[in-house]
Amino acid sequence: MKHNKRGRKTASTLLTATLAGTMLISACSGNGGNEKANESTGGEAASGGKASSLKVEVFDRGNSPAGSSITKNYLTQFVQDKFGTPNNINVQFVPIPRSEEVQKLNVLMASGSDVPDIVFTYDSGTFYRYAQQGGLTDLGELLDQYGPNLKKFLGDETLAYGQYEGKQFALPAKRSHLGKYSSFIRQDWLEKLSMPVPTTTDELYATLKAFKEKDPGQTGGKVIPLGMSLAPAQYEPLIWSFIEPVTDDQRYTLTQQLGSRDYPVLLPGFKEALQFMNKLYNEGLMSADFSLDEDKKKLNEDAAKGLVGFFSEDDMNPFYPDGLYATLQKNIPDSKLSAVDVYTNSEGKHPKPEYAPIGMFLMIPKSSQHAAEAIKYLDWMASEGNLFDMQNGVEGENYTLEDGVPIVKADAADEAKNRIYNYGDMAIISNGKQLGDADKNVEAYVVGMPEAYQEETRKALSISRSDTIKPVLFDRPIEAQAKYGTALLDKFNEIIVKTTMVKPDQFESTFESVMKDYMANGGQAILDERTKAYEAMK
């Protein structure tokens, strides 16, 4: 298994983050008068004097088309022409490799002088650490003064995720689509067996048994009725369907997140979910090597080869151009993959987690001398269709507009396609396309898929938004969660693997052992701190 190797890498990363975090305090101290500096530079820019500078972080994914770079392309020029020049601001973009975002950001934050004026991270723990150490600008008054459109666009629910001890230290990007998971079944296999689409967990079990015994895909004995990997998209829908419907809000709030993710390890039904996985595994109905497949690579390969009958995934993942379904149909032309909602709880619902309404945490370091310009820039992005133009390009060249939804032109010239290749990393106030309405936001994803897959994409996205469970937000970070969360993710994987793969008569003792280990290695500490925080919130 990969856990030991992964653990060493995690430990190294945590050490780097800790050292950088320690340096951050000294680097960010001694920056008093920041507000006066902002007023001064803002005044110069407004009066037409010497242009001020605004440095903005940008992810470098190494995917810039020929003739462009991540710091010099259509959208960087668009920003300069539409925002920078009219406001006498020179906007500069500072590239950070996406794969090293936290490590590189820690180094920049520790340097003090070289850090961009706008930085961001997807990691809430990193944001909280910077806020705790005094490394971030309080954005409350700046947002009121310079960001009325931005404030309205993000809304109170999203902004709440960027607050620490009542102060607004980050501006979370607004997520356009909150759905996480859908499930998929080989419709052509069902048709060969004259079986209906399963609608409950019990019916799914019967279907998986039929797939194994009758091998409708003619795999020569290689059939995998249920595709599984050691990734949340595969096991979370199954696990949550066994969790007893929540009637005790306090218990739910306290126990939902004991680690770095929202796993219901202490809620009634968790044990039963693992026991069901154990049953599937021991009956040969599940991927035999799922424990080695943390990145879903093996699952995707098996599904694309036509070996998998049913699996869960991140909402519409199989339908991307040249993705899993396209490859499956190349390999097996008459194959059909349908989106389904099968896992069912005791109330007949199909519970599954949803995303928090946020994307990245946008932050302005305390050392920045251009916080006012930074808020003005983000407010400009939220104003007068600028976000729409950054995300969609030029009407008639990149898209046509139908009922308020931009339809990407399939025959767009390469020049047009290249102009917005990096819109997701430039339009930083949003995670996903924002069209002013949740249904339209989803439809924007649908019309971006190959036409042959759009109906199933629409169904998958609808499934991902149904019977969802919202994440829990505390009004302050849980220190123990930040301390133990990453290690507990490895422990959680151990729980899944060990309880699934043991012989049925060893399940009880194994479950008791791994849960005891989980709680002793941080789970109990998190629960204790969450209990205190919950009482304080009340």
Side-chain angles (χ1 to χ4, degrees), residues 1-6 230 291-292 294 493-494 497-498 501:
M1 292 178 65
K2 299 179 180 178
H3 301 307
N4 291 336
K5 180 179 179 182
R6 187 174 183 274
L230 201 56
S291 64
L292 303 176
E294 293 186 52
N493 286 341
E494 287 183 23
V497 171
K498 289 183 177 180
M501 297 181 68

Side-chain angles (χ1 to χ4, degrees), residues 19-237:
L19 290 173
T22 302
M23 295 164 64
L24 171 63
I25 299 176
S26 59
C28 291
S29 62
N31 284 309
N34 189 39
E35 291 78 4
K36 292 183 179 179
N38 285 324
E39 291 173 4
S40 173
T41 54
E44 279 189 340
S47 63
K50 181 181 178 182
S52 60
S53 296
L54 177 67
K55 294 183 178 181
V56 182
E57 178 185 347
V58 64
F59 279 149
D60 187 355
R61 301 176 188 271
N63 62 341
S64 297
S68 296
S69 71
I70 199 61
T71 57
K72 188 175 182 180
N73 52 67
Y74 172 87
L75 286 180
T76 60
Q77 192 62 49
F78 179 88
V79 167
Q80 184 61 46
D81 291 345
K82 300 295 184 179
F83 167 76
T85 300
N87 290 284
N88 202 22
I89 296 172
N90 179 24
V91 185
Q92 303 171 25
F93 290 90
V94 180
I96 290 184
R98 174 66 180 94
S99 60
E100 305 172 43
E101 59 137 329
V102 173
Q103 299 96 310
K104 295 292 185 183
L105 181 56
N106 282 332
V107 173
L108 284 173
M109 289 290 285
S111 74
S113 59
D114 294 330
V115 64
D117 300 295
I118 298 176
V119 297
F120 44 75
T121 181
Y122 281 105
D123 183 63
S124 61
T126 297
F127 154 58
Y128 283 131
R129 187 172 71 252
Y130 293 160
Q132 286 172 313
Q133 295 174 345
L136 301 178
T137 299
D138 181 354
L139 305 176
E141 291 185 10
L142 289 166
L143 194 59
D144 289 338
Q145 186 174 358
Y146 300 113
N149 299 298
L150 177 63
K151 193 173 182 179
K152 181 180 178 182
F153 169 76
L154 294 178
D156 291 342
E157 184 183 9
T158 297
L159 285 169
Y161 282 83
Q163 294 171 4
Y164 173 69
E165 293 187 343
K167 294 183 178 181
Q168 194 75 50
F169 284 115
L171 302 172
K174 185 177 183 178
R175 187 180 287 274
S176 65
H177 167 58
L178 303 186
K180 264 190 174 184
Y181 306 130
S182 182
S183 295
F184 305 87
I185 199 164
R186 284 289 297 274
Q187 182 67 38
D188 53 312
W189 286 14
L190 293 175
E191 292 171 0
K192 286 181 180 179
L193 299 178
S194 298
M195 295 185 71
V197 175
T199 59
T200 67
T201 305
D202 288 341
E203 291 178 6
L204 173 64
Y205 174 72
T207 301
L208 297 177
K209 292 276 286 185
F211 284 171
K212 178 175 177 59
E213 294 167 1
K214 300 179 181 179
D215 195 8
Q218 297 180 328
T219 66
K222 297 180 181 179
V223 61
I224 304 171
L226 170 62
M228 183 62 66
S229 79
L230 201 56
Q234 278 68 64
Y235 56 69
E236 279 212 77

